[in-house]
Amino acid sequence: MLSHLSASLSHTSSSSISISFTSSTAFRHRLRPLFFYSPSKVFKLHKKVPSFSTKASMEAPVGLSVDSVSDGLKKQSLSEYNRVKLNLEDLNWDHSFVRELPGDLRTDIMPREVLHACYSKVSPSVQVENPQLVAWSESVAEILDLDPKEFERPDFPLLFSGASPLVGGICYAQCYGGHQFGTWAGQLGDGRAITLGELVNSKNQRWELQLKGAGKTPYSRFADGLAVLRSSIREFLCSEAIHSLGIPTTRALSLVTTGKYVTRDMFYDGNPKDEPGAVVCRVSPSFLRFGSYQLHASRGKEDLKIVQALANYTIKHHFPHIENMNKSDTLSFSTGQENDSVVDLTSNKYAAWVVEVAEKTASLIAKWQGVGFTHGVMNTDNMSVLGLTIDYGPFGFLDAFDPSFTPNTTDLPGRRYCFANQPDVGLWNIAQFASTLSSANLINEKEADYALERYGTKFMDDYQSVMTKKLGLPKYNKQLISKLLNNMAVDKVDYTNFFRLLSNIKADPTTPDDELLVPLKAALLDIGQERKEAWTTWVKTYIEELSSNGVVDEERKVMMNCVNPKYILRNYLCQSAIDMAEQGDFDEVRRLLKVMERPYDEQPGMEKYARLPPAWAYRPESEGSNQFIVILLVRLNLQGMRIPRNLEIWKLGTLNYLEALKLQEKLASKRKLNKIPDTLLSLQHPPTYTLGKRKTDHNLLIPESQLKTMGAQLHYTQRGGDITFHGPHQAILYPIISLRDIGLGARKYVENLELTMVELAAMYGVKAHGQRKCETGVWVGERKIGAIGVRISSGITSHGLAFNIDPDLSYFKHIVPCGIADKDVTSLRRETETETVVLDEDVVQEQLVSCFVKAFGYENVVWKDKESLRLMDDD
């Protein structure tokens, strides 16, 4: 972590996030929420300095003048004539990532922890049956030097579904970690994305091609590595739509259906269904994320060299201007701190790099805010180190202006990633990235602090510039813009349509009051007299500001329309295209792509794509529901839907029973206060006997004094059940979950625990069963293989289950297990000893966790390790 530097996210009742940074030099920053107050510079620099960032290579131009647009069109035909057009076999592959960085020594796809490696070589394994090309981007083909005629090849769907290999490609999945919803998740990695390779085009630009949904990798965990058509259409369209809006982003070359079905529980209601499978080919200079560096830094001293190797690689290939810096560049800045210290970016390339990453990230998020885009999952593993929009999941554009809008149902309780919080979260993520480089001794505290400072300054500069242009103002007017955003929030005004209509206002101070709102009539719907007066007052002030500019109305309208899109990828438009595509009609996907490629143009005949969402797509603002899910819920009239379930899994190895008990109590207390998500502890114990709250000592068949000589301990607990034994080679799961949140009663909860063990036994051909009258646990015939003892307080569970993999069964002879006499105890080893079954304890324990996840219907799973204990102790 940064020396003496702490970064914290605190949720307030207004759903905002505050971030504070404190250092030994009294360095303090706070980036406040951007709405309902007047935005201003909140980072104080000793002096104003120019932005260090260079323009992102994937950024499309916006805000062009009429002359520049005309000049561009004249040059377009010459450019088309001169462009390179290659066949797929002739692409210029250059696999720098696998050539220059350490890789996984194993080549299997078994889910596992991958150590000391940046990637694992793995080939697509997706199954296809008559795959079809749904949509493609000719502009992406152009940047790859790919001849658009290649889309017509009969084997194109096979090549870009992953069913056939690309000549010259080298396939791999990247290894990375990340913070998910503010909590370190450990190893994550490309669970369903497989890179086909890197190529260098005729302009010496490096591009990586990646298939999403092409099959399992070592990072797939419990998932199948596949993708459905529904989510693939959303990713394909939004990648291209965001690019056309002028925002840096990864791109999408193609979308292919596999011809196979993928099972998904779309509504998370326990009713999975088969959906069409699909694969998107994503394109980017690199898919490196903050988490690519974080994972190796988290693993300690041995892997810190990998952090440096990754940093060197990234600077060499993606920030070469930093590599070539020298003292003549005079990039030395005062920090503005008490001792007025200086940060010299020319003396440390890593410091210059982290500053540029911070500025690129700040500029990116300012652009998001400008068009009303909400990413939805700004985890550090979803943050591109190149400042690109990456990983399109539950994204959404604002319809009615609502600063607390989040398109992600998982985010609804805390709204961490809501629209208004994106700038703050970006700063928090940069703090984690800077901390990673600091832990690898690549930057010092002052350099890290300066990067955070530059983030704040760059964001406010770019955000103010964006808002000034959106209003067509000569200069930034803090009070005017703040009042406008307040009015829009009060009246739930459509964000996109309002700013597009705003360009119709005439800068004429003599306009009668009753005519002032006429140009905005289509946006100001159903407002009463009091609100009309508020808007009239604002428009008068706005016209006064415009009048001082002297710009002709028509010229201002053209300039404003170059930054205020008419068309955005609203969720209902996506859903309409998805509905048709799932019936085999892809025309709407292609039509929507064409419209979104020109978001700032009027496009006569396409006006319906600029309309407000229809009634079936209405999202009640008071409920704050996920718009995408609510669209489907209303249209299909489904009931009883629940939001996706999140689970943190702590893999703790062998842990003393009392230590585990204290940890459960601490976690249960935090879960009651909703400070943590549902959590599952996966561990084993040293030899230990435990008694439930009934304290049935008579079921311990030997004197307590003899336990010590056996190397065993005895503990009294507040769980239900009778005496039981825990020891080595026995898998223990302690769920700390909210039964109220997932709608389970105590009986159903216990039944699900039994089902977890029954399913595991079945994986090894052992027929086990639970739900015996007055006899808890899981049985094989009359032999007990798994025990259950739970505690439920205020709806929060603790204690849990114990499954016998291969424990020393002689320990059970000293007790009446679970108070049930005349019953034998067995193990997975004993039940499979006549079979040629290999029992790998680590694998069995992970399979038990997998069965738990399935039994309780968790969708999003995050792994943590023993390091979490130390962090808990620091709380």
Side-chain angles (χ1 to χ4, degrees), residues 368 372-377 394-398 405-407 417-419 422:
W368 288 355
F373 176 75
T374 308
H375 183 279
V377 201
F395 66 83
F397 286 85
L398 290 176
F405 167 70
T406 177
Y417 296 145
C418 73
F419 177 71
Q422 291 185 132

Side-chain angles (χ1 to χ4, degrees), residues 83 130 145 150 184-185 228 294 298 334 352 475 493 581 775 794:
R83 64 165 285 205
N130 189 28
D145 292 338
E150 292 294 277
W184 177 244
V228 297
Q294 285 183 284
S298 73
S334 167
K475 60 182 183 300
V493 176
E775 294 179 345
S794 301

Side-chain angles (χ1 to χ4, degrees), residues 399-699:
D399 291 320
F401 181 64
D402 176 8
S404 69
F405 167 70
T406 177
N408 186 352
T409 51
T410 309
D411 193 33
L412 283 175
R415 297 181 184 269
R416 176 187 177 88
Y417 296 145
C418 73
F419 177 71
N421 287 347
Q422 291 185 132
D424 291 358
V425 174
L427 177 60
W428 192 86
N429 289 344
I430 287 293
Q432 309 315 307
F433 182 63
S435 171
T436 294
L437 300 187
S438 179
S439 66
N441 299 313
L442 301 183
I443 62 175
N444 60 36
E445 180 186 351
K446 291 177 182 177
E447 292 163 341
D449 287 352
Y450 184 68
L452 303 178
E453 186 173 351
R454 287 304 305 156
Y455 174 95
T457 303
K458 179 63 174 174
F459 175 79
M460 292 312 302
D461 284 348
D462 282 20
Y463 178 74
Q464 290 177 6
S465 174
V466 165
M467 296 307 293
T468 299
K469 291 175 181 176
K470 286 182 76 69
L471 272 73
L473 298 174
K475 60 182 183 300
Y476 182 68
N477 186 319
K478 178 172 60 177
Q479 185 174 356
L480 184 70
I481 293 174
S482 179
K483 185 61 178 175
L484 170 61
L485 295 176
N486 272 279
N487 282 344
M488 292 179 70
V490 169
D491 294 311
K492 306 298 184 202
V493 176
D494 186 83
Y495 190 77
T496 300
N497 289 357
F498 175 85
F499 280 108
R500 188 74 176 191
L501 291 170
L502 191 62
S503 65
N504 295 324
I505 295 287
K506 306 297 184 184
D508 181 4
T510 65
T511 303
D513 285 5
D514 59 355
E515 296 179 13
L516 288 172
L517 301 185
V518 172
L520 305 176
K521 184 178 180 181
L524 301 181
L525 305 171
D526 301 323
I527 60 173
Q529 185 58 37
E530 182 179 349
R531 295 305 303 153
K532 285 182 179 179
E533 292 174 1
W535 277 104
T536 298
T537 300
W538 183 86
V539 171
K540 283 183 177 180
T541 306
Y542 175 58
I543 289 175
E544 290 176 6
E545 190 75 5
L546 294 179
S547 300
S548 64
N549 189 6
V551 177
V552 177
D553 287 336
E554 284 306 311
E555 291 182 7
R556 175 172 46 79
K557 179 180 175 65
V558 170
M559 290 188 291
M560 289 177 67
N561 285 351
C562 284
V563 294
N564 292 316
K566 179 171 183 175
Y567 303 97
I568 58 168
L569 191 65
R570 298 180 190 264
N571 271 330
Y572 85 89
L573 296 175
C574 264
Q575 188 56 45
S576 296
I578 290 167
D579 288 345
M580 294 179 65
E582 290 183 335
Q583 300 302 315
D585 183 352
F586 305 127
D587 286 348
E588 186 64 13
V589 174
R590 297 163 186 163
R591 190 158 39 242
L592 195 51
L593 173 64
K594 292 300 180 185
V595 172
M596 295 304 150
E597 285 176 342
R598 297 164 50 207
Y600 298 99
D601 295 348
E602 286 296 327
Q603 300 191 58
M606 295 295 165
E607 290 82 2
K608 70 175 184 178
Y609 293 100
R611 293 173 186 165
L612 295 175
W616 59 261
Y618 173 66
R619 176 175 66 92
E621 299 299 330
S622 60
E623 296 177 9
S625 303
N626 179 321
Q627 187 175 24
F628 175 58
I629 295 294
V630 170
I631 285 173
L632 296 173
L633 179 63
V634 173
R635 295 188 73 179
L636 302 178
N637 195 28
L638 295 174
Q639 302 296 324
M641 185 190 73
R642 65 173 185 264
I643 64 173
R645 297 172 179 171
N646 302 316
L647 181 70
E648 280 187 4
I649 301 168
W650 292 25
K651 189 177 179 180
L652 301 177
T654 300
L655 197 64
N656 176 276
Y657 184 83
L658 279 183
E659 190 175 358
L661 184 61
K662 292 177 181 177
L663 177 61
Q664 289 181 75
E665 292 171 350
K666 192 168 188 177
L667 290 172
S669 177
K670 288 178 175 288
R671 187 67 188 90
K672 287 177 186 177
L673 298 173
N674 285 317
K675 290 185 176 180
I676 61 170
D678 283 352
T679 301
L680 180 68
L681 307 184
S682 175
L683 65 150
Q684 294 188 13
H685 288 311
T688 307
Y689 293 100
T690 65
L691 279 158
K693 56 188 176 183
R694 288 185 289 169
K695 299 181 180 176
T696 50
D697 305 68
H698 59 276
N699 285 326

